[in-house]
Amino acid sequence: MTSTGNDGHIHRYLIIGAGPGGLQLSYFLQRAGADYLTLEREAAPGGFFRRYPRHRRLISLNKVHTGEKDPEINLRWDWNSLLNDSPDLQFPRYSREYFPGADDLVRYLADFQREHALNVRYSTAADRVEKVDGVFVVHAGDEVFRAECLVIAAGWGGPYVPDIPGIELATGYEDVSVAAEDFTDKRVLIIGKGNSAFETAQAMLGHAAVIHLASPSPVRFAWTSKHPGHVRGQYGALLDSYWFKTLHGVLECRVDRIWRDGDRFKATITYTLADGEQALLEYDAILRCTGFTMDTGLFAASCTPEMTPSGRLPAIRPDFQSTNVDGLYFAGTLMQARDFKRASSAFIDGFRYNLRTLAALLAERYEGEPLREEVLPVDADQLTTSMLDRVNYSSALWTQFEYLCDAYVVDEASGQVLHYTDLPEDYAVDRFAGHPLYFTVTLRWGRQDYGDVFAIQRHPTPERAHESAFLHPVVRAWRNGDQVAEQHLLEDLLAQWRDPVRHVRPLRAFLSSRLTTTPDDRPPDTPLP
């Protein structure tokens, strides 16, 4: 169904934005036969990726050669595909490069929308959103669209501009020249130390005389934090240059003020790791690479969402709904507030699973369709098998580590366990808080404070599995919303958690100890079938 916007029809769902998040949710809603419409201000999908990254190389992995045949397993290393049932609409068919080009993603998104005939209205820019008598009213030029449920999938609204006197003199990442020769023999200050800053610096590395990257906090590396949004290894050349005395540098400092002096720029800075030392520095160019922020100017007072303390992201409940506006949800990179800088909700490979879950939650709320569940007996053996099958197979738990979980809700009276997949763990804990016993199953990393992440002392015995440094399963037991027990299973180099002694035996013993109404009479070292 395509609405003209003037027929008074109230859609069940209205999505604003046809980037990867909006298209992914559109796919799930269309597959369910839902009444939805997606509005996109541009003439084609994926507008953000037609502009960014500026140097056209993605940081999202595209591991084509995995040694695996199962599509679900392969999704663990395919960070760009949207979830769908078509073998032809998998991103490795569009690029074989490990770090693919942004133009390939743009082409993929256009094909995804067209091949699935998703109900997208292009060249329809939402100007204002209000909520009237419980209905969302979206104004787009002289058209008006109405919906019971509104999903914002518009992505970042624009650059984040830090509050620095004189910051208007800096050239923003969105406008920085991509011609490296434009910086030949120049002294360049780049404000920011994220991937956009390093991308910009690396491009000019062979041309600029001096490159300084500046922010108050030290660089966060992805290999330390395990978060793909932190600085990635492919940008290490500038860091090499820093320590090889090339005069390029990474400054831990606050930029206090910027001003023009003749044909140059001057900046006063205060070092944050040098007892407050101050300096006056001179540059030929100052660039702002400080990330993006959500645009809240779209919303009328009747439905303005609360924001996170940074003011850059919407504050959301565990079900991805606005904390203060009922019926307002967020999709795509705007879903990341609850796992900020931990799992991958900021990226396609993470939010595609969030959106599958969101579609199920929306169907439950608006269509009366209960969450899909699998019924299992209250039996430690079968629960052990099910849990290990899931952590060894699920790409959702793999990608959304420490965020999405499987929930196993025990009904001892009926002798059944209800198994739910891919729920945010905080949502599952709250939803099943009325039950006397339930389990959550996630994949988790070890602690974050290793002195050298490439020289970790390991203790590979099941009794010390909680000290595992790498990705490993964690099962938690809950009673009425309170955690009462936790079992870690040992890490494994190939991420195969099926060893009878290291994985099966400890998990079965843990479950048997909690399922007191169903004692396990087998010897603890008996392998499961």
Side-chain angles (χ1 to χ4, degrees), residues 390 396-397 400 402-407 420-429 439-443:
R390 284 290 295 162
L397 298 182
Q400 291 295 68
E402 303 183 13
Y403 182 56
L404 294 185
C405 77
D406 277 18
Y420 302 89
T421 61
D422 303 340
L423 299 176
E425 189 173 31
D426 53 358
Y427 175 83
V429 170
F439 301 94
T440 57
V441 181
T442 64
L443 290 172

Side-chain angles (χ1 to χ4, degrees), residues 438-515:
Y438 54 103
F439 301 94
T440 57
V441 181
T442 64
L443 290 172
R444 300 186 71 84
W445 288 97
R447 68 179 197 268
Q448 303 290 323
D449 58 347
Y450 299 105
D452 183 346
V453 295
F454 299 108
I456 297 173
Q457 178 65 53
R458 298 171 55 245
H459 305 284
T461 60
E463 295 75 21
R464 301 184 71 169
H466 61 285
E467 300 177 19
S468 291
F470 302 102
L471 200 67
H472 64 283
V474 178
V475 181
R476 293 188 173 94
W478 305 82
R479 287 192 183 278
N480 303 114
D482 295 322
Q483 183 181 330
V484 294
E486 181 177 274
Q487 178 68 45
H488 291 245
L489 303 180
L490 269 175
E491 60 204 359
D492 182 83
L493 177 64
L494 298 179
Q496 296 176 1
W497 300 287
R498 294 191 185 278
D499 185 90
V501 175
R502 295 159 66 93
H503 305 124
V504 176
R505 175 181 174 179
L507 179 55
R508 188 176 63 203
F510 173 77
L511 295 173
S512 294
S513 71
R514 312 312 308 177
L515 299 171

Side-chain angles (χ1 to χ4, degrees), residues 111-272:
D111 286 354
F112 188 92
Q113 186 274 325
R114 182 176 56 256
E115 292 299 320
H116 290 299
L118 302 179
N119 192 22
V120 179
R121 280 279 306 270
Y122 290 113
S123 301
T124 306
D127 304 316
R128 184 164 59 91
V129 175
E130 56 185 338
K131 195 173 185 184
V132 181
D133 297 329
V135 175
F136 290 97
V137 181
V138 177
H139 300 266
D142 59 358
E143 293 186 289
V144 177
F145 302 87
R146 297 173 175 83
E148 297 175 52
C149 172
L150 179 64
V151 183
I152 304 298
W156 297 118
Y160 169 71
V161 181
D163 186 15
I164 299 172
I167 189 65
E168 69 278 1
L169 298 173
T171 302
Y173 173 68
E174 63 277 12
D175 296 316
V176 170
S177 171
V178 296
E181 57 271 19
D182 288 348
F183 298 96
T184 299
D185 277 333
K186 291 187 177 181
R187 298 171 57 89
V188 182
L189 172 64
I190 299 176
I191 301 174
K193 289 203 206 98
N195 282 300
S196 64
F198 275 86
E199 170 205 341
T200 302
Q202 182 147 308
M204 65 179 71
L205 193 57
H207 294 265
V210 172
I211 304 170
H212 287 164
L213 274 66
S215 74
S217 301
V219 178
R220 294 295 305 278
F221 296 109
W223 58 79
T224 299
S225 69
K226 295 96 171 175
H227 178 65
H230 286 139
V231 175
R232 304 291 290 280
Q234 62 263 43
Y235 297 134
L238 182 126
L239 298 172
D240 280 352
S241 299
Y242 182 21
W243 290 111
F244 289 162
K245 307 178 292 298
T246 64
L247 301 183
H248 301 316
V250 179
L251 312 181
E252 283 67 54
C253 69
R254 183 181 68 247
V255 178
D256 299 312
R257 187 165 71 94
I258 300 168
W259 69 96
R260 184 185 292 276
D261 186 0
D263 60 353
R264 291 201 168 190
F265 299 95
K266 289 186 176 179
T268 54
I269 67 170
T270 301
Y271 290 102
T272 54

Side-chain angles (χ1 to χ4, degrees), residues 12-13 148-149 321 327 329 361-368:
R12 180 61 55 86
Y13 310 103
E148 297 175 52
C149 172
Q321 186 175 193
Y329 293 80
L361 296 178
L362 293 177
E364 183 179 49
R365 174 178 179 177
Y366 291 97
E367 317 294 345

Side-chain angles (χ1 to χ4, degrees), residues 330-348:
F330 296 92
T333 195
L334 298 180
M335 307 177 90
Q336 63 179 289
R338 300 192 73 86
D339 68 325
F340 186 67
K341 301 293 186 180
R342 291 190 295 116
S344 292
S345 293
F347 298 87
I348 292 173

